Amino acid sequence: MAIRNVRIEGDEILRKKTREVTVIDDKIKQLLNDMADTMYKNEGVGLAAPQVGMLKKIVIVDIGEGLVEFINPVILKAKGKKVYKEGCLSVPHVYGQVTRPLKIKVKALDRNGNEFVLEAEEFMAQAICHELDHLEGILFIDKATNLERVEE
Ligand code: ZN
């Protein structure tokens, strides 16, 4: 078990594009394990590899329904729109309203290299879209309206 440091806004790695994973080796599996430890420790519902300083197309999500790992995720379809109040472990204490698709279909590899397609809606769709933005160097504050700072 290893907790990695979560990069905070202002760190330029959060603004860089990521690379596809070509080989899912032990290092990648260790990264996935560490990302989960780091997400749970920080009580997040999702985490993207750049948030722990790795420029790889890897995200994890757990909205309370179990951990899902996505390697090289691609959104195949997006439908509808919904506005959510959003935050991010890399932008502490800041929240804002972000419009996300209501439903998505996403394709990715699991840690065994098997491709899967997942249909998600509402909160799960929001969480996946938020994390996938990180892979393009996009933060929710780029899209949000009504940003507010909440001291906790
Ligand atoms: Zn985030």
Side-chain angles (χ1 to χ4, degrees):
M1 163 150 172
I3 310 291
R4 300 201 186 191
N5 271 339
V6 175
R7 305 299 184 97
I8 301 299
E9 196 224 343
D11 188 323
E12 64 183 30
I13 205 153
L14 292 171
R15 293 306 188 172
K16 293 191 171 160
K17 292 202 175 172
T18 51
R19 294 204 181 137
E20 285 213 340
V21 175
T22 49
V23 184
I24 304 170
D25 56 14
D26 287 347
K27 266 188 161 175
I28 295 291
K29 288 175 185 167
Q30 187 63 51
L31 172 61
L32 284 161
N33 295 342
D34 291 354
M35 283 174 65
D37 292 341
T38 305
M39 176 181 73
Y40 291 126
K41 165 82 178 161
N42 288 284
E43 296 176 3
V45 297
L47 197 70
Q51 291 182 278
V52 292
M54 302 297 289
L55 290 173
K56 296 192 180 297
K57 292 201 183 298
I58 298 177
V59 310
I60 59 169
V61 172
D62 186 348
I63 61 164
E65 297 173 354
L67 180 67
V68 187
E69 299 172 332
F70 302 84
I71 299 170
N72 300 338
V74 178
I75 291 180
L76 301 173
K77 267 189 192 171
K79 253 198 204 168
K81 276 183 190 172
K82 188 166 174 180
V83 179
Y84 297 89
K85 187 175 180 184
E86 227 168 270
C88 177
L89 293 178
S90 293
V91 192
H93 313 302
V94 175
Y95 298 88
Q97 308 285 326
V98 183
T99 303
R100 299 286 186 188
L102 183 63
K103 289 184 180 183
I104 58 165
K105 195 188 255 192
V106 59
K107 174 180 89 168
L109 299 178
D110 67 18
R111 64 163 61 209
N112 299 312
N114 297 316
E115 188 176 291
F116 65 95
V117 174
L118 182 87
E119 293 194 48
E121 54 182 66
E122 305 267 347
F123 187 27
M124 185 65 175
Q126 176 210 1
I128 293 169
C129 290
H130 174 112
E131 299 312 328
L132 263 62
D133 275 353
H134 277 295
L135 302 183
E136 304 300 325
I138 298 166
L139 297 177
F140 85 98
I141 49 174
D142 305 344
K143 299 182 165 180
T145 57
N146 303 88
L147 281 170
E148 54 179 329
R149 178 169 286 275
V150 179
E151 295 305 332
E152 287 153 87

